Amino acid sequence: MELFDILITVVQQQSLNKASQILNISQPALSRKIMKLEEDLGVELFRRKGKRLELTRAGEISYEYALDQQRLERKLQQSLRIFKTSTKPASLVIGASLTTLQSTLPDLITIYTREHPLTDIKALTGKTHEIVPLVKEKKVDIGLVASGIDDPGLVCLPLFDDPLCLVLPASHPYADRTDLSAADLHELPMILFSRGTWYRVLMDEMFHRCSVHPDVKMEIDSFEAIIRLAATCQTATLLPESYLRHVLVETNGLIVRFIPELEQTKRTTSLLYTEEAALEPPIRLFIDLAVKHSSQR
């Protein structure tokens, strides 16, 4: 039993008695091991305060080191596991449009790797019309795009609808309004997506349909830049709901407002794959996890 593992257990239990039970050794034996570690390091690790143990500053440093060693050993064991089996590690190549890359893909990869940490995942990015042929030509295993695709060679699986939302600085004159409509966007100073992007096409169609002409101050194709500039310039913007994490909005001093006309202005985030590809276990697992995650949104 490693002495540093013992140190971690004692610190986390804050009691020699509890730690000795977990480690399945007697309390006197545990005390001797702690004394041996202190002797080896040449420092005092604990102070006794009644029945409680309190770490010294040297003990805190040693504890952090012990945790780092434990994490490194765990990582080593995971990395070596693939050499202890004849099975090749799974791999997955995902093609993602810019929109899904910034809003949806990070969550899906986090969920997938949490359950399957040894899978080698690669991502290629491009516009939606570039992702489609990559999936058909099997240059990527799965496509993730913010639109529905009708192609006889592909399965297009809708995950969720993603409406646009009005995002405002907390001090904006509209911040306290609960009755906002598309008409309120007329001549409103705004930062919008660049012309030609899918979301800007949706916006322009909505503006035309509602006879609205906002005062466009900037045109940008980056979610992050739009968020930061909206906060800095105290200017309104329109963003897809999937990108608007609570922490992101709150950290930048912004608020979100839902407008009926905007809720009808939405795109559908979809998975693209071939029927043949879906027979591969890593791809099937990713599809199933994506569907499950989307149903819980």
Side-chain angles (χ1 to χ4, degrees), residues 28-295:
L30 178 57
S31 295
R32 287 194 295 272
K33 288 183 180 293
I34 291 295
M35 290 174 61
K36 174 70 166 60
L37 182 57
E38 289 180 324
E39 183 182 324
D40 290 347
L41 295 176
V43 293
E44 183 183 35
L45 299 176
F46 295 97
R47 294 190 193 92
R48 284 177 174 77
K49 291 201 170 180
K51 293 185 177 181
R52 259 187 347 106
L53 290 176
E54 186 178 272
L55 275 176
T56 63
R57 179 59 186 141
E60 291 174 354
I61 293 171
S62 300
Y63 174 61
E64 289 299 324
Y65 174 83
L67 289 176
D68 286 342
Q69 292 303 303
Q70 194 177 69
R71 282 191 288 266
L72 283 171
E73 184 175 353
R74 219 165 24 231
K75 185 175 180 181
L76 174 62
Q77 292 299 332
Q78 287 181 344
S79 299
L80 293 179
R81 199 176 300 158
I82 62 174
F83 297 102
K84 298 176 183 180
T85 175
S86 58
T87 305
K88 279 186 66 177
S91 64
L92 197 59
V93 183
I94 304 168
S97 63
L98 179 62
T99 301
T100 60
L101 175 69
Q102 296 183 81
S103 61
T104 307
L105 185 60
D107 285 347
L108 295 182
I109 289 180
T110 298
I111 293 166
Y112 189 91
T113 54
R114 188 185 300 141
E115 296 190 24
H116 308 282
L118 298 181
T119 303
D120 179 27
I121 298 181
K122 295 182 173 63
L124 299 177
T125 62
K127 296 178 180 177
T128 296
H129 72 269
E130 295 171 330
I131 298 300
V132 172
L134 290 178
V135 180
K136 292 183 71 173
E137 295 165 13
K138 299 181 182 179
K139 293 179 179 177
V140 301
D141 300 312
I142 297 175
L144 183 65
V145 297
S147 60
I149 299 296
D150 184 12
D151 190 299
L154 295 175
V155 177
C156 179
L157 178 63
L159 294 179
F160 60 88
D161 290 333
D162 199 10
L164 287 168
C165 303
L166 178 64
V167 181
L168 303 165
S171 58
H172 195 277
Y174 284 179
D176 297 326
R177 292 271 304 275
T178 58
D179 58 343
L180 292 168
S181 69
D184 292 300
L185 304 181
H186 186 65
E187 296 186 353
L188 182 68
M190 301 190 78
I191 298 173
L192 298 180
F193 284 104
S194 301
R195 290 185 181 277
T197 59
W198 272 101
Y199 275 111
R200 182 57 186 273
V201 171
L202 281 181
M203 292 174 198
D204 288 341
E205 288 176 352
M206 187 272 293
F207 295 149
H208 178 73
R209 189 168 62 249
C210 300
S211 299
V212 169
H213 301 284
D215 179 9
V216 182
K217 298 296 186 183
M218 299 182 194
E219 296 178 301
I220 302 168
D221 60 3
S222 164
F223 285 135
E224 183 180 352
I226 291 175
I227 281 279
R228 293 178 64 182
L229 286 166
T232 301
C233 302
Q234 294 293 289
T235 307
T237 187
L238 299 177
L239 289 171
E241 185 181 14
S242 64
Y243 185 71
L244 298 173
R245 305 292 194 276
H246 178 72
V247 173
L248 179 68
V249 172
E250 193 175 65
T251 301
N252 286 279
L254 301 170
I255 59 173
V256 179
R257 292 291 177 263
F258 295 91
I259 295 177
E261 293 89 344
L262 287 179
E263 291 186 39
Q264 298 163 17
T265 307
K266 58 192 177 186
R267 297 180 68 184
T268 301
T269 294
S270 308
L271 285 181
L272 303 178
Y273 53 90
T274 63
E275 291 183 356
E276 182 183 356
L279 299 175
E280 297 292 328
I283 300 174
R284 185 73 255 171
L285 283 168
F286 188 91
I287 294 168
D288 292 343
L289 283 171
V291 171
K292 181 180 178 182
H293 175 65
S294 299
S295 70

